[in-house]
Amino acid sequence: MQILVTGGAGFIGSNYVRMLVSDAEAQGRRPQVTVLDKLTYAGNPANLESVAGRVTFVQGDICDAGLLARVVPGHDLVVNFAAETHVDRSIEDSGDFVRTNVLGTQALMQACLDAGTRRVVHVSTDEVYGSIATGAWSEDAPVSPNSPYAASKAGGDMIALACARTHGLPVSVTRCGNNYGPFQYPEKVIPLFITNLLRGRRVPLYGEGNNVRDWIHVEDHCRGIQVVAERGAAGEVYHIAGTAELTNRELTTHLLEGLGCDWSRVEHVPDRKGHDLRYALSDKKLRALGYAPAISFDRGLASTIDWYRTHSAWWEPLVGDAGPSPARPSPAPQ
Ligand code: NAD
């Protein structure tokens, strides 16, 4: 099976590509994977170094219909990770978010329709639902996004689902909670805090740190996407829920403890504009297909801390002296 992974040089996409390659090789098959990635600031060829020569890489934009018409045909499965993903950047300027997350998704879905692609998975987020005080969203909850990032992801989801309903495109949409793990760009809260603490710096905690997020190890997310690709139904949404619901304060405690630091290393910064209080997903529908997360938060976080500790050559060029985005000392989870 020939698989096209758009956004495959980013955090989750590159973990997914590594999973595809190791699964194929474990079964004695040659991996048949193409990565299409624009290589924005978040896309990094180093993320694919361990599979270099075993996947085909195309640098390009999912908004480029001409390029898609050349690249998409011949692939049996297309999985779309390509997106602008950092909420704080979307609050400063949402132009690229609308362009890639809405128009890019539309161009990709159209290219899949034109090519007659047999299976498509569009990767999305719990943030499209807004914020939920108690309980958890099921897949039929209405979208009610608050940040420009979430609004652009909701727009892309709607286009993908409309292509399924109107044209019969065999696309499923996955929505996941907050991911953590290796190769995450150090502007998101977990790698930002780890790399700051490893460098002897303080970490910026929004407000009182009461916002709640549901954390999932990136490898569990990738397994969930694969279950949807293989067993999910066209035109359906599937949730991939986390394994640890934590306030940002609790998360900070875990990170400080994991790195042998205390609360003197925490700097309280003004809260993010429009900061959603809580996200929570019900994943019953995906579990009915046989999915279950395998990595506990404690184990996953310990291995993630260890990865950043031993891979400073990967993250040091990204943070420089001043950090990844000095104007934006953000603990933003996404
Ligand atoms: P990321 O920012 O690390 O990577 C995004 C990748 O997309 C980068 O490699 C970038 O170069 C590429 N890209 C951006 N614009 C492009 C374009 N126009 N054409 C081609 N490539 C382009 O993001 P991530 O954290 O890996 O997220 C991947 C997907 O998962 C996104 O759709 C995101 O909304 C979704 N998601 C992320 C999380 C999370 O916690 N990180 C949670 C739920 C869902």
Side-chain angles (χ1 to χ4, degrees):
M1 179 186 270
Q2 202 77 42
I3 304 174
L4 174 63
V5 183
T6 54
F11 163 47
I12 306 171
S14 67
N15 276 281
Y16 181 73
V17 168
R18 272 188 298 282
M19 179 194 80
L20 291 177
V21 169
S22 72
D23 284 359
E25 291 178 348
Q27 293 161 15
R29 289 185 287 111
R30 197 173 62 78
Q32 293 174 303
V33 180
T34 308
V35 172
L36 171 65
D37 197 296
K38 187 179 174 183
L39 297 182
T40 66
Y41 77 96
N44 186 349
N47 295 359
L48 294 171
E49 218 166 74
S50 68
V51 293
R54 290 181 285 163
V55 302
T56 304
F57 181 80
V58 179
Q59 182 170 2
D61 190 332
I62 59 162
C63 299
D64 181 344
L67 174 70
L68 293 176
R70 292 193 299 279
V71 172
V72 172
H75 291 92
D76 307 292
L77 166 65
V78 173
V79 184
N80 181 31
F81 294 91
E84 290 293 337
T85 61
H86 192 42
V87 174
D88 286 359
R89 289 178 188 262
S90 81
I91 292 169
E92 284 184 12
D93 182 353
S94 55
D96 284 346
F97 287 74
V98 173
R99 193 174 159 280
T100 290
N101 301 359
V102 183
L103 299 178
T105 301
Q106 182 273 328
L108 183 62
M109 296 303 127
Q110 186 61 49
C112 291
L113 278 169
D114 294 345
T117 308
R118 293 215 311 263
R119 191 79 183 99
V120 183
V121 178
H122 173 68
V123 177
S124 190
T125 167
D126 56 3
E127 301 200 24
V128 297
Y129 295 115
S131 187
I132 188 167
T134 56
W137 291 296
S138 55
E139 284 83 351
D140 56 5
V143 294
S144 183
N146 292 321
S147 72
Y149 161 69
S152 67
K153 289 297 294 182
D157 293 11
M158 296 298 99
I159 287 288
L161 293 169
C163 285
R165 278 168 209 148
T166 305
H167 302 293
L169 182 71
V171 59
S172 303
V173 172
T174 60
R175 293 183 179 144
C176 188
N178 279 40
N179 284 228
Y180 67 96
F183 297 97
Q184 187 169 28
Y185 191 83
E187 66 184 351
K188 310 279 170 76
V189 62
I190 288 184
L192 176 71
F193 278 26
I194 294 172
T195 55
N196 273 13
L197 293 172
L198 286 173
R199 289 185 297 156
R201 296 180 175 217
R202 300 177 79 195
V203 296
L205 181 64
Y206 271 146
E208 292 305 311
N210 292 329
N211 302 68
V212 177
R213 299 293 182 263
D214 190 18
W215 292 96
I216 181 169
H217 192 274
V218 63
E219 286 173 18
D220 278 334
H221 185 185
C222 293
R223 292 274 160 220
I225 290 168
Q226 204 51 17
V227 169
V228 172
E230 288 167 11
R231 279 170 258 158
E236 293 287 323
V237 175
Y238 293 89
H239 288 168
I240 306 172
T243 57
E245 199 177 316
L246 298 170
T247 64
N248 283 343
R249 220 185 146 75
E250 290 166 333
L251 174 68
T252 303
T253 302
H254 281 284
L255 290 166
L256 290 170
E257 283 174 8
L259 284 138
C261 301
D262 63 30
W263 275 84
S264 66
R265 300 286 289 279
V266 177
E267 180 186 3
H268 290 270
V269 298
D271 208 352
R272 167 193 283 168
K273 276 164 82 179
H275 204 170
D276 287 332
L277 183 62
R278 177 173 176 267
Y279 307 127
L281 296 172
S282 160
D283 64 358
K284 274 191 205 147
K285 191 170 164 182
L286 184 58
R287 284 180 186 256
L289 297 182
Y291 166 83
I295 303 176
S296 72
F297 183 73
D298 285 348
R299 179 161 74 85
L301 191 69
S303 69
T304 300
I305 291 173
D306 198 44
W307 189 86
Y308 283 92
R309 218 193 272 282
T310 53
H311 288 76
S312 55
W314 179 85
W315 57 261
E316 270 169 359
L318 305 179
V319 299
D321 277 346
S325 48
R328 222 181 270 118
S330 149
Q334 278 193 39

